[in-house]
Amino acid sequence: MHRHRDLCERAVDPLEIAAGLEAHGVTDRTAARFRHRDVFSLAEEMYARVPRDGDPPPRPTDPPAPRVRIVWIVLALLPGALCAATVAGLRLTDGRPRLIAAVVGALVVTLALRAALRRGPLRAATRTTGTWTCWLVGYALLGDGLLRAALTGGPDGLPDGTAEGPWPVTVAPVLALALACAPAAGSAHLFAVGARRKLTASRGLADFSASVRPLLLGAVALFMCALTVLVALTGAVLAEPTAHPQALTLGALFLLARLLAVHGHTHAPTLVLTAAASVEAAALATLFAGRLPGCGFLAVPVEALVAACGPAVVPTTACGIGALILLVHATRRLTRASAHASMGQPR
């Protein structure tokens, strides 16, 4: 109690003390040395014995769970709606009006996405970099077309917003990802609510981890099912080839990175997003570098992969491996009590 006195004095219930003890390396075995069956029991005694100024607040029987609010529901739906309006504007215009529609649409969708990420279940307490996220989204929109054009000696011009131009544009995956902001927020909310309930009912750290792991996997699976449907629908409506592999892997990568950031783990997502974007950039760079005299060997690996599996192999491999790494990392980090006990309510 002397060592963790500050933690005990500012805690509003024993759950915060248990999470703090776990973060400092205290396990059930350590609690047994103090004649307690687990860390939760030890935290309850520490909470009861450490004095506080004034009357202590009563211990809630069930910690308040994040509530569904109309504001964050609207904000989660806004990026998809604005992206759909932008796509409609691109299809109905030509020339300079199409360019203006693309620039204005990209700006408003970006602002709407930032607003959605600052409120509700996808809100992170710490700032995260969006540079590599923008690159990955940009590659989903323009990367496959540029890769195909580079393999045939192009591109011969700038993208014109169509799939038939000299630099083809693939809109369906980006539209599906924008529409998937709402399912992502819903999955994150369900995971947060379930984890808080398990934290109240669990009587040991191992028990809590075992009960939260299926919740995490279920939330990811729910989002992936929704994204699969959205990718199929957008591909059918826009009459574009369905880009299931790259869209699904990119969506899984974004969801897992955001879940980790929401619960205070930003280092691993930043590294993985950077690595995935670097792989995509390197694939394009080697194709253009292979055109230099005596450097044709640089483009051989990418050309062989694309010839065997198609242009989608580059983003699918980069984002798929990154998503698997973050999934393994999330099953370790997000199944700890310290990731949930002090989590603020989404506003």
Side-chain angles (χ1 to χ4, degrees), residues 183 186-188 190-191 211-226 255 259 327 331:
S187 300
L190 292 176
F191 174 63
S211 61
V212 170
R213 191 170 292 110
L215 288 177
L216 174 62
L217 298 177
V220 175
L222 179 63
F223 171 77
M224 295 304 295
C225 291
L255 176 69
L259 282 178
L327 180 61
T331 56

Side-chain angles (χ1 to χ4, degrees), residues 12-340:
V12 297
D13 58 54
L15 296 176
E16 288 194 14
I17 299 178
L21 293 176
E22 183 209 25
H24 285 88
V26 178
T27 63
D28 290 344
R29 179 176 297 180
T30 308
R33 293 168 48 199
F34 298 98
R35 301 175 183 270
H36 283 273
R37 64 183 180 275
D38 51 41
V39 175
F40 286 89
S41 176
L42 176 61
E44 288 175 352
E45 180 176 354
M46 295 173 67
Y47 179 79
R49 294 181 61 178
V50 173
R52 295 169 181 79
D53 296 332
D55 294 330
R59 180 190 175 188
T61 55
D62 190 5
R67 293 178 298 174
V68 177
R69 297 187 179 183
I70 299 299
V71 174
W72 69 255
I73 292 177
V74 173
L75 289 177
L77 293 171
L78 195 57
L82 292 176
C83 188
T86 301
V87 173
L90 293 176
R91 292 297 179 94
L92 297 176
T93 57
D94 198 1
R96 179 169 295 181
R98 175 179 291 176
L99 178 60
I100 296 174
V103 173
V104 173
L107 179 61
V108 296
V109 171
T110 301
L111 294 176
L113 183 59
R114 291 188 62 182
L117 295 179
R118 291 183 175 181
R119 303 289 293 270
L122 298 178
R123 176 178 177 268
T126 56
R127 290 184 175 272
T128 55
T129 177
T131 302
W132 299 116
T133 301
C134 293
W135 169 271
L136 292 170
V137 174
Y139 190 95
L141 182 68
L142 301 167
D144 285 352
L146 179 59
L147 195 66
R148 292 192 188 94
L151 289 172
T152 58
D156 298 325
L158 296 176
D160 58 1
T162 66
E164 298 79 18
W167 185 340
V169 176
T170 308
V171 180
V174 177
L175 177 58
L177 289 172
L179 294 170
C181 286
S187 300
H189 175 74
L190 292 176
F191 174 63
V193 171
R196 292 289 290 177
R197 289 175 178 171
K198 295 295 183 182
L199 183 60
T200 304
S202 299
R203 301 306 306 169
L205 299 179
D207 178 43
F208 175 76
S209 297
S211 61
V212 170
R213 191 170 292 110
L215 288 177
L216 174 62
L217 298 177
V220 175
L222 179 63
F223 171 77
M224 295 304 295
C225 291
L227 182 58
T228 301
V229 174
L230 290 173
V231 171
L233 288 176
T234 53
V237 171
L238 298 177
E240 292 184 0
T242 55
H244 278 93
Q246 54 266 50
L248 293 180
T249 52
L250 181 57
L253 179 63
F254 283 161
L255 176 69
L256 291 166
R258 197 62 193 180
L259 282 178
L260 286 164
V262 166
H263 295 277
H265 303 284
T266 58
H267 182 65
T270 301
L271 289 179
V272 171
L273 289 174
T274 302
S278 299
V279 169
E280 293 180 347
L284 292 173
T286 54
L287 288 180
F288 289 105
R291 298 179 181 180
L292 297 175
C295 297
F297 66 94
L298 294 175
V300 172
V302 176
E303 291 175 346
L305 282 175
V306 174
C309 305
V313 67
V314 174
T316 301
T317 303
C319 297
I321 294 176
L324 288 176
I325 293 173
L326 288 186
L327 180 61
V328 174
H329 186 68
T331 56
R332 296 178 56 193
R333 296 294 183 180
L334 301 186
T335 56
R336 295 182 177 181
S338 56
H340 304 278

